[in-house]
Amino acid sequence: MKTKTIFAFIAALAMTCSLMAQTKSHTISIGGGLGGSTLTGELGENGSIGLSYFLEANYFFNEKLSAGIEFNSSAIGYSDDSSAFGFSAYGSALYLVKGEYHFFTSKVSPYVGLGLGLANIATPEITSTDGNGNEQVITPSESTINFALSPRIGVAFGNFCLDVSFNVAGKTPQTEGFNVDESDLPFNYWIFGLRYVYPFEI
């Protein structure tokens, strides 16, 4: 299953690149940003908070429509009564092919977008250090790869974009160690982000 999802992502990326090559426009952009994240559903019902960052590249077919690729990574902690610490955490990495539509060509414009791709959901690795300074793994990291869907809305202010996305990232790893009570649950989360996007001609 994991191999099929990887091939599907590569195929979608190849199709996007092919469309980019056929268009007559030559405007591209690169960008990055930071954001805050929070889980929904059973995982986030008692509170959660996380940090996210983004890297992206886009190709503009015209002044309103673009397609591109995005990588975003989040570390999200949440309240967990079953944990000895009272909280647990997951890491999420999304690899997306995306499209965005800006409603106006002015410096300030609302926009909508959709990202499709793969999500890598992982538990943190827990280690300890003995008196001699040797590090050993107590609980190894466990991860799973799922299909991902990421609709978003936002507003562009010149080169800055303020947006919110809802990320549907499949289910958590089926674990027998860390986060047992949270095994195989839906992993969906909001990201509230601020990005800087720099356009230029090629």
Side-chain angles (χ1 to χ4, degrees):
M1 180 62 182
K2 291 182 180 180
T3 302
K4 290 182 179 179
T5 58
I6 292 172
F7 279 126
F9 176 71
I10 293 173
L13 179 59
M15 290 176 62
T16 301
C17 292
S18 176
L19 288 171
M20 291 177 180
Q22 294 175 19
T23 188
K24 295 181 180 180
S25 178
H26 299 284
T27 302
I28 66 173
S29 71
I30 57 174
L34 297 172
S37 47
T38 184
L39 289 164
T40 66
E42 187 174 341
L43 285 175
E45 63 185 358
N46 294 319
S48 67
I49 189 170
L51 293 175
S52 306
Y53 72 89
F54 317 85
L55 297 172
E56 64 177 67
N58 303 290
Y59 191 97
F60 288 83
F61 298 103
N62 53 50
E63 292 183 326
K64 292 185 176 182
L65 182 64
S66 69
I69 56 177
E70 177 182 309
F71 168 78
N72 73 61
S73 179
S74 302
I76 309 175
Y78 60 96
S79 179
D80 180 9
D81 293 337
S82 65
S83 169
F85 304 101
F87 71 93
S88 294
Y90 278 100
S92 171
L94 299 185
Y95 306 85
L96 303 172
V97 175
K98 68 173 184 175
E100 290 181 352
Y101 180 79
H102 292 247
F103 290 97
F104 308 120
T105 59
S106 57
K107 290 290 185 180
V108 178
S109 174
Y111 63 88
V112 294
L114 178 66
L116 299 171
L118 299 177
N120 184 7
I121 310 302
T123 61
E125 181 180 83
I126 299 177
T127 62
S128 68
T129 304
D130 61 25
N132 297 321
N134 299 315
E135 186 177 89
Q136 65 180 91
V137 176
I138 298 176
T139 305
S141 174
E142 295 177 303
S143 65
T144 184
I145 296 177
N146 308 315
F147 284 112
L149 177 68
S150 180
R152 71 278 307 272
I153 59 173
V155 179
F157 301 89
N159 290 355
F160 289 93
C161 297
L162 183 65
D163 60 22
V164 55
S165 63
F166 184 69
N167 303 279
V168 180
K171 292 189 175 182
T172 57
Q174 298 186 36
T175 177
E176 296 180 357
F178 189 71
N179 289 9
V180 175
D181 292 343
E182 286 75 36
S183 174
D184 200 33
L185 291 178
F187 193 83
N188 304 321
Y189 58 102
W190 294 95
I191 296 179
F192 304 87
L194 176 64
R195 297 181 285 125
Y196 179 82
V197 180
Y198 182 76
F200 57 95
E201 300 290 328
I202 58 171

